């Protein structure tokens, strides 16, 4: 055995100031600079209009919620819950299986690929072959969630203390080693994270209503679109109540009962005709110039032309806009998260105040980005600004909530300072590593979410994917989806590299 | 750990049994229900309750079980029609054309009385300085503009056609921003608030919101009306006679044309239905090809 060389900081690293803190400072600075550059390129004009008429209607609606039909409300809430629970369960099983092979690049790429496609687009894909069915709803959640959970589980497995595994005697059996030395150590954070993802799944499930699945989003979107704000308020409050009270009634021990109930209530079925599946694979998604033709020089030229036009008109501008919006949205999310973190931190607020602060964060992250964008559009006019604000508020509230919870682990000295000093001199430095880790995780989510802001006329990749579905050009839709998946995989790889470079703990208990 | 395994096994078993029971019967029996869908151009709320009445009416007239399923968008309606999840649909002009191209043999059988001469309004916020004129004003260039839904005939297709025809360029080159509000009511709200300076909207939705007092005409007004074009229609799949009997399509057409109850008609909202055929919609096909929404060779 070679002696392990001591890892004291050498004189050169000390002189250059190359500590991990300075690396974090540098990365933060680069992100801020890149966001500023993106800002310079983005359209941020503000149109001063008169939004107050519409906003006062919205406010009046928010103050006078009215339920149009209790049975409709009850069934759409039940459907929302059922899709979410089924989706997360199946996603957890699939994610666990994938996580076992997470050290293989190919598996990691597959996971990054399936989670890079927005739930809405998964739903639109499945609608083509399985119709508006309960199976479509289940798969649209389960597949991207399997990709996300695989990543988290996989990284948890990588990060567990290797001591127990290293102390095993010879004759290793990989699987049983894993079950005895890795899984027990990773189990608790896995459970915490999965339960947090369940809240996300309820939001995803609600949003699936936007494309026609019978969840609460179906009615919410209609009510908002037509300006029936009292009804929209009632639906939104019901969704908030469902999410806000999860902790009270979704106990671990009752889970099997709930699971059984949702599978009986909403069995995932669909009339799948193999004819439709075949048509989808052999015709719909085949690029138009290649359809039903022999393969020769001429079709190849047509295909080249088709590809060139698509690149010029949609792929390239879409990539640019998605990256711009994603970058600014991420940095704003980070800033807001740091500002919002005290609302859910026991170091700053206690008791009912913390409950109140947490409620504000639940409210902010449950408000559909789509609604935030609409309000932003009314006030600021059409530009990238409302999209940035919508993405920032939504994701900032999520990261702020998680950071706040993270501060529960911080033990302060009895003579610790308070208020602003406590925040800047003690809490911020101690959570900053975790903050960056959370933010990098959220990066790809933000990119994915740029998809649903077409109302603002921002031509992101998601905007073009949506247009392709609207005109039944599934060949274009698929290519655009692949492009956005490639972007997400690239960002994921880069974030992974940064995390390793900065030695960030890559295993957040929850994200 | 074993509780998780148990749970997982349980869920998997349920899932497999559910899926396997689902695809066992691809060929339906004679007693199959006849299913339709409809997306009206305004007031999309409470569709289920309103269209269940229409389903009841058709069921009485046709003597077979008739069901209504609500869908969320034109695209979803077309997909359901293409996949035979619905056999009859109340489509907009463009979505009907798309559906009939995707399902060879399907027929437009009836349109609304008003749909023979439908039209769109261009509306503008007063800050744009635009006022009512004979043609689309060239001063529209450089301002912000919103369509309705991407697949809408009155909120997208025809307005875009006239923009290109009269102003000689595509919307994204002409305007500073081009949005898709997703909904006619929202287009009005957004232009009235000045968030977008100009918008294009279904004339009927404008008129009914105006009558309901929801529009402040000192803030937003109509600047141009398009020439008329055919819009909403009932389209039926070509294979219905094979399932429900040789005269089914004829009986269905009669039932639709004879729908006189104002309560039923109000759901669409139309005053009556008149007969229609695929050929009537050739102008929509040509327009959609001209602006690149459908491919000519399909």
């Amino acid at each position: 055995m070679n002696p392990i060389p001591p890892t004291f900081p050498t004189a050169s690293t000390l002189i250059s100031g190359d500590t991990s803190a300075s690396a974090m400072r540098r990365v933060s600075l680069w992100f801020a600079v890149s966001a500023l550059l993106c800002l310079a390129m983005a359209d941020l004009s503000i149109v001063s209009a008169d939004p107050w008429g519409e906003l006062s209607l919205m406010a009046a609606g928010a103050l006078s919620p009215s339920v149009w039909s209790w049975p409709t409300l009850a069934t759409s809430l039940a459907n929302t819950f059922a899709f979410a629970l089924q989706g997360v369960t199946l996603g957890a099983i699939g994610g666990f299986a994938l996580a076992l092979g997470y050290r293989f690049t190919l598996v990691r790429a597959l996971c990054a690929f399936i989670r890079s496609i927005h739930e809405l687009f998964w739903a639109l894909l499945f609608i083509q072959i399985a119709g508006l069915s309960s199976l479509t709803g289940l798969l649209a959640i389960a597949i991207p969630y399997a990709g996300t959970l695989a990543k988290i589980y996989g990284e948890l497995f990588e990060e567990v203390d290797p001591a127990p595994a290293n102390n095993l005697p010879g004759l290793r059996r990989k699987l049983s080693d894993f079950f005895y030395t890795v899984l027990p150590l990773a189990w608790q954070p896995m459970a915490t994270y999965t339960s947090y993802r369940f809240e996300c799944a309820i939001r995803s499930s609600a949003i699936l209503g936007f494309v026609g699945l019978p969840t609460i989003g179906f009615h919410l979107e209609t009510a908002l679109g037509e300006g029936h704000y009292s009804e929209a308020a009632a639906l939104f409050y019901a969704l908030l109540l469902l999410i806000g009270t999860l902790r009270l009634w979704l106990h671990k021990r009752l889970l099997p009962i709930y699971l059984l109930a949702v599978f009986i209530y909403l069995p995932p079925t669909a009339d799948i005709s193999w004819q439709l599946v075949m048509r989808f694979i052999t015709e719909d998604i085949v690029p138009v110039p290649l359809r039903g033709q022999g393969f020769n020089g001429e079709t190849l030229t047509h295909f080249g032309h088709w590809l060139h036009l698509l690149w010029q008109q949609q792929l390239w501008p879409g990539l640019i806009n998605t990256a711009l919006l994603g970058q600014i949205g991420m940095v704003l999310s980070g800033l807001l998260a740091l500002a919002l973190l005290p609302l859910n931190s026991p170091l700053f607020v206690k008791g009912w105040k913390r409950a109140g602060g947490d409620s504000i964060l639940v409210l902010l992250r449950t408000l559909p980005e789509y609604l935030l964008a609409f309000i932003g559009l009314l006030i600021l006019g059409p530009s990238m600004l409302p999209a940035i604000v919508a993405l920032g508020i939504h994701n900032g509230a999520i990261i702020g909530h998680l950071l706040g919870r993270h501060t529960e682990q911080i033990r302060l000295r009895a003579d610790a300072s308070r208020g602003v000093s406590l925040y800047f001199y003690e809490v911020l430095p101690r959570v900053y590593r975790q903050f960056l880790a959370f933010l990098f995780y959220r990066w790809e989510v933000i990119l994915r979410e740029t998809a649903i802001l077409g109302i603002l006329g921002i031509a992101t990749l998601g905007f073009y994917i949506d247009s392709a579905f609207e005109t039944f050009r599934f060949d274009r839709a698929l290519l655009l989806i692949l492009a956005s998946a490639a972007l997400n995989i690239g960002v994921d790889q880069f974030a992974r590299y940064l995390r390793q470079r900065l030695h960030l703990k890559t295993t957040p208990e929850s994200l | 750990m074993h509780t998780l395994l148990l749970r997982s096994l349980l869920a998997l078993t349920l899932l497999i049994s559910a899926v396997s029971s689902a695809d066992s019967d691809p060929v339906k029996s004679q007693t199959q229900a006849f299913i339709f869908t409809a997306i009206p151009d305004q007031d999309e709320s409470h569709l289920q309750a309103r269209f269940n009445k229409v389903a009841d009416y058709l069921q009485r007239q046709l003597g077979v079980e008739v069901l209504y399923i609500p869908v969320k968008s034109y695209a979803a309606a077309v997909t359901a029609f293409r996949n035979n999840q619905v056999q009859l649909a109340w489509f907009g002009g463009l979505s009907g054309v798309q559906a009939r191209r995707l399902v060879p043999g399907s027929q437009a059988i009836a349109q609304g009385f008003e749909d023979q001469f439908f039209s769109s309004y261009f509306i503008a916020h007063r800050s744009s300085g635009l006022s009512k004129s004979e043609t689309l004003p060239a001063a529209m260039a450089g301002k912000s503009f919103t369509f309705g839904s991407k697949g809408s005939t009155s909120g997208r297709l025809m307005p875009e056609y006239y923009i290109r025809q009269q102003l000689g360029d595509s919307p994204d080159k002409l305007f500073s921003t081009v949005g898709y509000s997703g909904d006619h009511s929202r287009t009005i709200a957004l232009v009235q608030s000045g968030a977008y300076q100009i918008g294009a909207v279904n004339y009927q939705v404008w008129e009914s919101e105006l009558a309901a007092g929801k529009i402040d005409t000192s803030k937003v007004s109509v600047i141009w009306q398009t020439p008329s074009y055919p819009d909403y229609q009932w389209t039926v799949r070509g294979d219905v006679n094979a399932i429900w009997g040789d005269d089914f399509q004829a009986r269905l057409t009669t039932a639709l044309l004879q729908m006189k109850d104002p309560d039923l008609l109000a759901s669409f909202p139309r005053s009556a239905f008149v007969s229609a055929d695929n050929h009537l919609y050739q102008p929509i096909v040509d327009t959609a090809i001209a602006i690149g929404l459908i491919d000519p060779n399909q």
Side-chain angles (χ1 to χ4, degrees):
Chain A
M1 288 278 280
N2 293 326
I4 300 163
T7 52
F8 296 119
T10 60
S12 65
T13 60
L14 281 180
I15 290 166
S16 70
D18 203 7
T19 60
S20 65
S22 73
M24 283 195 285
R25 268 205 307 276
R26 215 166 36 236
V27 167
S28 306
L29 181 72
W30 278 117
F31 272 108
V33 169
S34 71
L36 285 176
L37 281 177
C38 291
L39 272 178
M41 285 191 276
D43 167 24
L44 300 173
S45 55
I46 295 178
V47 178
S48 58
D50 39 347
W52 305 113
E54 193 69 18
L55 290 178
S56 64
L57 288 178
M58 293 177 114
L63 294 175
S64 62
S66 82
V67 176
W68 175 76
S69 149
W70 286 101
T72 308
L73 179 68
T75 47
S76 56
L77 264 187
N79 289 339
T80 308
F81 177 74
F83 282 133
L85 190 55
Q86 293 177 357
V88 167
T89 306
L90 200 67
I93 297 169
F96 183 78
L98 285 168
L100 294 177
Y102 206 69
R103 62 183 181 281
F104 301 112
T105 314
L106 208 63
V107 174
R108 280 208 305 277
L110 173 74
C111 295
F113 175 70
I114 59 179
R115 71 172 178 266
S116 70
I117 300 172
H118 197 282
E119 294 93 276
L120 281 179
F121 296 143
W122 277 117
L124 284 171
L125 285 172
F126 283 115
I127 284 173
Q128 309 309 324
I129 46 181
L132 279 170
S133 59
S134 46
L135 186 64
T136 296
L138 166 61
L139 292 178
I141 295 180
I143 293 179
Y145 277 60
T148 310
L149 290 169
K151 169 175 171 165
I152 304 295
Y153 295 168
E155 288 176 354
L156 283 167
F157 296 158
E158 283 172 4
E159 301 263 334
V160 295
D161 185 352
N166 291 343
N167 285 321
L168 284 177
L171 203 77
R172 311 281 296 268
R173 286 197 190 84
K174 274 191 173 163
L175 202 62
S176 54
D177 283 4
F178 169 79
F179 276 102
Y180 283 96
T181 64
V182 177
L183 193 57
L185 293 174
W187 187 251
Q188 191 51 45
M190 278 171 73
T192 315
Y193 181 74
T194 311
S195 74
Y196 166 71
R197 281 309 288 186
F198 180 64
E199 184 197 312
C200 304
I202 290 188
R203 287 196 296 265
S204 301
S205 173
I207 286 181
L208 289 183
F210 290 11
V211 292
L213 286 156
T215 65
I216 205 151
F218 186 101
H219 306 284
L220 184 59
E221 206 255 356
T222 307
L224 286 174
E226 313 224 316
H228 299 159
Y229 294 125
S230 293
E231 255 174 61
L235 291 162
F236 177 66
Y237 296 152
L239 181 63
L240 261 186
L241 206 63
L242 179 71
I243 290 178
T245 60
L246 279 180
R247 268 186 239 177
L248 302 179
W249 50 272
L250 195 66
H251 291 294
K252 219 184 326 185
R253 258 174 268 138
L254 296 176
L255 207 55
I257 298 176
Y258 284 119
L259 260 177
L260 193 64
V262 293
F263 276 102
I264 292 173
Y265 168 73
L266 199 70
T269 59
D271 277 320
I272 294 182
S273 106
W274 293 110
Q275 213 184 330
L276 291 187
V277 176
M278 288 309 291
R279 183 186 66 190
F280 188 72
I281 296 173
T282 61
E283 276 177 49
D284 288 358
I285 59 172
V286 178
V288 167
L290 303 182
R291 249 176 242 173
Q293 311 257 343
F295 204 73
N296 57 41
E298 202 186 342
T299 51
L300 210 61
T301 320
H302 284 307
F303 178 61
H305 185 64
W306 178 83
L307 214 55
H308 176 73
L309 272 184
L310 196 62
W311 169 260
Q312 206 178 29
Q313 296 176 350
Q314 305 194 349
L315 273 166
W316 177 244
L319 273 169
I320 296 286
N321 283 325
T322 307
L324 275 183
L325 187 54
Q327 193 67 15
I328 308 172
M330 181 185 80
V331 172
L332 182 68
S333 299
L335 291 175
L336 280 174
L338 291 179
L340 292 171
L341 115 87
L343 285 178
N344 187 30
S345 168
L347 308 180
F348 296 95
V349 285
K350 290 197 173 60
W352 66 269
K353 283 190 195 157
R354 184 173 175 204
D358 195 29
S359 310
I360 295 174
L361 293 182
V362 172
L363 174 77
L364 288 180
R365 66 178 185 262
T366 308
L367 279 169
E369 280 148 313
Y370 166 78
L371 174 62
L372 291 171
F374 179 64
I375 297 174
L377 172 59
L378 282 172
I379 299 173
L380 304 166
S383 70
M384 255 196 201
L385 212 50
I388 296 167
V389 173
L391 289 171
I393 291 180
H394 181 80
N395 292 292
I398 288 178
I399 304 173
H401 161 80
L402 296 171
L403 273 182
R405 286 233 314 243
H406 182 72
T407 60
E408 286 169 6
Q409 298 166 7
I410 296 181
R411 298 279 164 266
L412 296 179
R413 282 164 35 148
D415 61 347
S417 51
R418 305 169 64 122
V420 178
S421 304
L422 173 66
Y423 181 85
F424 282 106
Y425 291 101
E426 171 127 29
V427 175
L428 191 56
R430 289 178 72 173
V431 299
Y432 203 75
R433 194 174 284 275
Q434 193 62 37
F435 162 71
L436 281 184
F438 284 151
L439 194 60
F440 290 160
Y441 269 113
R442 211 61 207 168
W443 195 355
E444 45 174 308
V445 179
I446 293 172
L447 281 177
R448 195 170 60 208
E449 285 171 349
T450 59
I452 54 173
L453 300 167
I455 189 176
L456 303 169
I458 302 168
T460 60
L461 282 173
F463 173 86
Y464 289 120
I465 296 171
D466 180 57
S467 300
F469 276 111
E470 282 273 344
T471 50
F472 309 96
R473 286 160 167 156
F474 305 114
D475 51 344
R476 287 190 197 178
L478 188 73
L479 201 69
L480 290 160
I481 285 176
L482 291 177
S484 74
L487 177 66
N488 270 48
I489 293 171
V491 162
D492 180 53
Q493 285 294 330
F494 184 57
R496 192 176 162 86
Y497 161 78
L498 281 180
R499 278 199 307 269
Q500 281 166 355
R501 180 86 203 280
L502 302 175
H503 311 295
L504 301 181
K505 190 165 172 266
T506 50
T507 56
E509 286 75 33
S510 54
L511 186 88
Chain B
M1 182 58 222
H2 54 263
T3 52
L4 176 93
L5 275 179
L6 263 181
R7 274 181 227 153
S8 323
L9 280 177
L10 180 69
L12 268 182
T13 320
L14 282 166
L15 186 79
I16 290 161
S17 61
V19 172
S20 57
S21 70
D23 58 8
S24 55
D25 182 25
V27 184
K28 290 293 179 64
S29 61
Q30 283 285 308
T31 55
Q32 179 185 346
F34 179 68
I35 307 175
F36 77 99
T37 190
I39 324 176
D41 43 4
Q42 63 189 102
D43 195 9
E44 282 176 37
S45 45
H46 323 148
L47 290 179
Q48 186 83 51
R50 282 156 51 196
F51 282 101
N52 279 348
K53 292 187 208 156
V54 179
D56 290 344
Y57 166 81
L58 290 175
Q59 183 160 328
R60 281 197 305 277
Q61 299 293 313
L62 299 171
V64 301
E65 186 185 6
V66 179
L67 296 175
Y68 164 77
I69 59 166
V71 292
K72 196 73 196 153
S73 65
Y74 298 107
V78 174
T79 302
F81 187 79
R82 183 188 190 204
N83 293 357
N84 205 8
Q85 275 199 318
V86 302
Q87 292 79 43
L88 171 74
W90 173 246
F91 281 126
L94 175 60
S95 46
V97 163
Q98 288 168 324
R100 292 192 291 276
R101 284 166 80 90
L102 290 169
V103 185
S106 52
Q107 297 283 331
I109 52 175
Q111 60 177 185
F113 177 78
E114 292 83 348
D115 294 296
Q116 304 171 83
F117 22 79
F118 218 76
S119 133
S120 307
Y121 286 157
F122 280 77
I123 57 174
H125 189 255
R126 61 150 189 251
S127 70
S128 69
L130 301 168
S131 55
K132 191 152 185 140
S133 62
E134 289 300 306
T135 55
L136 279 177
M140 280 168 65
K143 299 195 160 47
S144 59
F145 180 89
T146 184
F147 289 114
S149 148
K150 282 177 189 166
S152 162
T153 308
S154 54
R156 161 81 191 276
L157 177 75
M158 298 315 287
E160 176 160 351
Y161 175 73
Y162 285 109
I163 288 167
R164 286 169 185 260
Q165 190 210 42
Q166 301 198 7
L167 302 178
D169 216 338
S170 65
D172 56 335
K173 297 217 173 71
L174 275 168
F175 300 115
S176 63
T177 321
V178 179
Y180 293 87
S181 75
D183 186 287
H184 297 297
S185 305
R186 202 152 19 183
T187 301
I188 298 175
L190 285 169
V191 178
Q192 176 156 286
S193 77
Y196 282 103
Q197 290 169 290
I198 314 170
V201 67
N202 175 318
Y203 87 103
Q204 234 193 3
V205 176
W206 172 273
E207 294 295 348
S208 78
E209 293 215 349
L210 191 64
K214 289 186 188 167
I215 297 175
D216 180 350
T217 47
S218 70
K219 289 181 179 162
V220 56
S221 58
V222 176
I223 56 166
W224 191 63
Q225 178 172 11
T226 65
S228 72
Y229 53 82
D231 204 348
Y232 284 74
Q233 88 295 148
W234 286 105
T235 293
V236 68
R237 285 179 63 97
D239 48 12
V240 288
N241 285 1
I243 303 171
W244 287 284
D246 284 343
D247 59 344
F248 187 79
Q249 185 175 319
R251 289 197 294 132
L252 173 66
T253 311
T254 312
L256 290 171
L257 295 179
Q258 287 181 349
M259 194 189 292
K260 303 289 183 216
D261 183 351
D263 186 35
L264 297 183
L265 290 167
S267 296
F268 293 93
R270 293 294 181 268
S271 57
F273 292 116
V274 298
S275 61
D277 58 51
N278 290 0
H279 183 68
L280 272 179
Y281 288 87
Q282 193 57 41
I284 302 285
V285 176
D286 298 339
T287 311
I289 291 173
I291 68 171
L293 282 181
I294 55 180
D295 297 324
N297 56 347
Q298 251 177 27

